[in-house]
Amino acid sequence: MNRFLLKILFCLSVSFSFLLDGKAQDVEFSQYYANKIYLNPAFAGSDYDSRIAMGYRNQWPGINEAFLTYSVAYDKYVDVLEGGLGLHILQDQQGDGAINTTMVSGMYSYTLSFSRNFSIRAGFQASLVQRKLNYNNLTFPDMIDQFYITGMINPSTGESLPENLSRDYMDFSGGMLAAYKNWFVGVAAHHLSEPDEAFKEESDYSKLPRKYTFHCGVTIPVFRRGLHQEEYTFSPNFMYQQQSTYKQLNYGVYLTRNNLMLGVWYRDNLELEYDAVIFQVGISKDWWQLSYSYDKTVSKLIHTNTGAHEFSVLLRFVNYRKSTGNCRENYVRRKRRVGALKCPRF
């Protein structure tokens, strides 16, 4: 079968998976594009150069380490596969270690180039997930003095210890990206099989709801002329996510000048009020970048939490080989520079 036709069929097969009917909220990063392959597996290899992305998020730090998340990812473009490969490891701690989740994901994306300015990428992701329950960190109603005089009392007698304190399962996701010049738009569907997360075998099926993501943006260069010509980049972006009945809308802008970046985002829970304002600052050099963001809660939860801190580090392994005069190698190098997705790096 024609190779070009195979690419089209691959992309269509991913899009059909989003049409499947679907019903615990996932870990959420404020720095979406610093965690690209977590946002959408079609991002694997999108920069063509190899890269390592590391992230750390501390949500609601004033509530005794309520949610801590660690992430590390590696991806690169592979010429012989005409697509990208990615590996992502995520560690999430909830409730001061009451529930710990470890996820190891592998992904592959396929690139379909229609012209110099227009391309489509499709990606599949397979994940192995392990969830562990620290039963000693849980508090049940019958453990608390009803008059709250002595606080905690005897261990719970109404709740039995689950047969398994660990749950392992496979998970599958897919995504697509379309890019035209400085514009890009993407869709992703995570947890296609909606795996069971229940710790007790006799309990009802506790599925992980499918999550849908839609994101888009544009990068607009702005020039200022004077004694020195300086280039600014203005990049408005939009993201919508839905998981079960939970809906979320994020929109904001990035402004970059040379190696510096400033960003501001609004997160709306679609209940007629803003959830948080996200402030971000970053710096980038030839082969590395560092970014910090802070989520300022503006909803009714402002009196119960202290927002969230997030750090990200990206290492990029650029191909610095000098031209050898080989026409094929020079052509591939130019093609990569043109084909790289023009979306925010932070």
Side-chain angles (χ1 to χ4, degrees), residues 161-325:
L161 185 69
E163 296 83 354
N164 299 313
L165 296 179
S166 178
R167 179 78 176 182
D168 301 334
Y169 58 86
M170 291 294 299
D171 194 12
F172 302 94
S173 307
M176 291 190 69
L177 282 170
Y180 177 71
K181 294 184 177 180
N182 294 336
W183 291 83
F184 67 93
V185 59
V187 292
H190 290 81
H191 321 306
L192 293 174
S193 59
E194 296 189 322
D196 185 10
E197 291 191 309
F199 287 102
K200 288 187 175 182
E201 296 295 339
E202 71 276 9
S203 65
D204 293 334
Y205 179 75
S206 178
K207 68 178 181 181
L208 178 60
R210 192 171 301 144
K211 181 179 72 174
Y212 298 96
T213 301
F214 172 81
H215 59 96
C216 63
V218 59
T219 300
I220 305 172
V222 181
F223 296 93
R224 187 185 73 180
R225 294 185 179 275
L227 294 177
H228 301 282
Q229 181 175 336
E230 296 178 318
E231 180 179 352
Y232 296 80
T233 299
F234 177 73
S235 181
N237 283 265
F238 168 94
M239 184 186 72
Y240 171 80
Q241 287 188 329
Q242 179 173 344
Q243 188 169 18
S244 187
T245 59
Y246 178 80
K247 301 176 182 179
Q248 178 179 294
L249 179 65
N250 297 69
Y251 49 92
V253 297
Y254 296 101
L255 178 65
T256 61
R257 176 190 175 188
N258 299 327
N259 296 323
L260 299 178
M261 181 279 302
L262 295 176
V264 59
W265 283 76
Y266 291 93
R267 182 166 60 234
D268 191 343
N269 61 12
L270 299 181
E271 294 182 357
L272 303 180
E273 66 174 1
Y274 290 119
D275 176 55
V277 181
I278 303 168
F279 301 98
Q280 186 177 353
V281 60
I283 182 172
S284 65
K285 293 295 184 180
D286 291 335
W287 60 275
W288 63 269
Q289 71 180 44
L290 176 66
S291 180
Y292 165 76
S293 63
Y294 174 70
D295 297 12
K296 172 62 178 176
T297 303
V298 294
S299 67
K300 296 177 182 178
L301 295 176
I302 190 173
H303 302 296
T304 61
N305 72 77
T306 53
H309 301 280
E310 189 172 320
F311 298 88
S312 68
V313 178
L314 178 67
L315 306 178
R316 184 178 291 105
F317 302 93
V318 183
N319 185 358
Y320 287 108
R321 291 183 303 172
K322 295 182 179 179
S323 174
T324 61

Side-chain angles (χ1 to χ4, degrees), residues 12-32:
L12 288 176
S13 67
V14 176
S15 64
F16 288 149
S17 67
F18 301 142
L19 302 178
L20 299 175
D21 184 28
K23 295 203 175 188
Q25 185 184 351
D26 282 12
V27 174
E28 177 182 325
F29 289 102
S30 296
Q31 300 180 34
Y32 318 109

Side-chain angles (χ1 to χ4, degrees), residues 86-112:
L87 176 66
H88 181 222
I89 302 174
L90 182 140
Q91 172 70 38
D92 182 52
Q93 301 176 10
Q94 304 175 31
D96 195 20
I99 299 178
N100 293 280
T101 303
T102 302
M103 180 180 70
V104 179
S105 303
M107 55 208 68
Y108 169 67
S109 69
Y110 210 66
T111 305
L112 178 61

Side-chain angles (χ1 to χ4, degrees), residues 43 46-48 119 121 177-179 183-184 338-343:
F43 271 117
S46 61
D47 279 0
Y48 287 93
S119 64
R121 292 177 170 86
L177 282 170
W183 291 83
F184 67 93
V338 172
L341 198 64
K342 296 177 178 62
C343 71

